Amino acid sequence: MNIATQSIEGGFSDPVFNGQAVFRAVMDAMARPGTVQDLPQLARPPAPLSATAGAVALALCDNDTPLWLDSPLQAQAPVKAWLGFHTGAPLANTPADAHFSLIANPKEMAALDGFAQGTQEYPDRSTTLILLVDDLASGPSLLLEGPGIEKTSMIAPPGMPRHFVEQWKQNNQRFPRGVDIILAAPGALACLPRTTRIKTTEA
């Protein structure tokens, strides 16, 4: 299959309905951090972009939202062609220029403060990171507190960056500036908005 064919195939079968379903799942996950939202396979992007992350990109990205890809995704011409065809999103030159970022290898990703942080006046001008994870339950447990969480919530994505909890504390301190994270696992997603506080259960 050539790149042109790969770039056209694998998008939403019903763009409006599928896009609304993914958008609703993301909004519900942002409103209730740590909850896992099931998401059926609605997109079939080229590897290594996952179905969940691809669907999130299709629902959220457009020609006004510069998109940053990490090295594993940047190296794949079919991935860039697929995203360009289905979303129209231009590729950002640097992480700090990105409205959204797709990260296939979170363990090796750039530091959170290297992405767009927004401003005090326009905190929404920050990067939303879409991290591809194998699941949401087999990694080190993260205890979540904050808005949208009644007492505490728990999530355990594997393969997160080194010193992630410390980086996230610094992200909290930049509020209302700071990044938000969407964790895209096979068949499900969860979110970490910048208002959520994290601590490891091992502490």
Side-chain angles (χ1 to χ4, degrees), residues 37-108:
Q37 303 291 324
D38 292 332
L39 194 69
Q41 183 170 337
L42 298 174
R44 290 177 291 105
L49 186 59
S50 70
T52 301
V56 171
L58 295 193
L60 300 184
C61 299
D62 59 32
N63 55 13
D64 291 324
T65 58
L67 179 63
W68 171 258
L69 307 179
D70 74 346
S71 297
L73 296 173
Q74 188 71 243
Q76 296 296 323
V79 169
K80 292 191 285 187
W82 189 85
L83 289 166
F85 179 81
H86 289 285
T87 72
L91 293 180
N93 293 321
T94 70
D97 295 323
H99 201 111
F100 293 98
S101 180
L102 283 162
I103 309 290
N105 184 8
K107 193 173 282 188
E108 302 295 329

